Structures are given as structure tokens and as C-alpha cells.
Amino acid sequence: MTADKLKQCIALFGGMLSAILLFLQSIGVTSKWFTEESINAFNQVLITAVPFVFVIYGVWKNSYIVTTKAKEQEKLLKEKGLK
């Protein structure tokens, strides 16, 4: 998934939250914490946090120091001269 597609998905989620907000307002349900500002803030948090999570996951999966299986794989790669 590219960064552009990720931003589009987050914007779609924010749009759905905005639609829910408009629906709730149309039937007379209001809230101090569920506003356009809170939706925009939540979208900004997602836009910055989701790529961070992907980077952390990538580092975790490509690290040879985390799991026993990864350590064994590193040892095998060194024996074959590939690392």
C-alpha cells in the first residue's frame, strides 16, 4: 500500500465519521467531544501514526535479533556466506 492510498483510506474513514456526525446532528444528538475538530484531529493522528506502525512492523520483521527463528536464519545465512 502506497502512502497516497493510505491517506485516501484515512480520508475515507474521516468522511464516514463526518457523515455520522451530520446524521446525529440531524436527529438532534449532540456531543461536546464528537465535533468536526475532533474528527480532523483524529485523522491527523492516524495519518502520522499508521505509517509509524508500518515502519516499526517492517523493522520487527526484518530484524535478526528478535526471535529465535530469525537468529537461526541469520546463522544459516552467515554459514552460506550470504550475510
Side-chain angles (χ1 to χ4, degrees):
M1 178 178 287
T2 64
D4 186 48
K5 292 293 181 189
L6 181 62
K7 287 181 182 178
Q8 289 177 8
C9 289
I10 292 171
L12 178 66
F13 183 69
M16 288 189 294
L17 287 176
S18 295
I20 292 169
L21 175 65
L22 290 174
F23 172 73
L24 291 174
Q25 288 176 344
S26 70
I27 60 173
V29 176
T30 58
S31 176
K32 290 183 180 181
W33 60 270
F34 190 55
T35 62
E36 282 295 324
E37 291 82 20
S38 67
I39 292 171
N40 291 335
F42 185 67
N43 280 345
Q44 287 299 318
V45 167
L46 287 179
I47 286 173
T48 56
V50 170
F52 178 73
V53 170
F54 283 147
V55 168
I56 295 299
Y57 177 74
V59 169
W60 175 268
K61 289 301 284 182
N62 293 315
S63 177
Y64 290 110
I65 62 171
V66 180
T67 64
T68 305
K69 183 178 176 182
K71 290 176 187 176
E72 291 172 4
Q73 183 179 9
E74 180 184 30
K75 182 180 175 184
L76 184 64
L77 287 172
K78 284 182 180 178
E79 288 173 1
K80 292 185 177 183
L82 298 173
K83 182 172 179 205

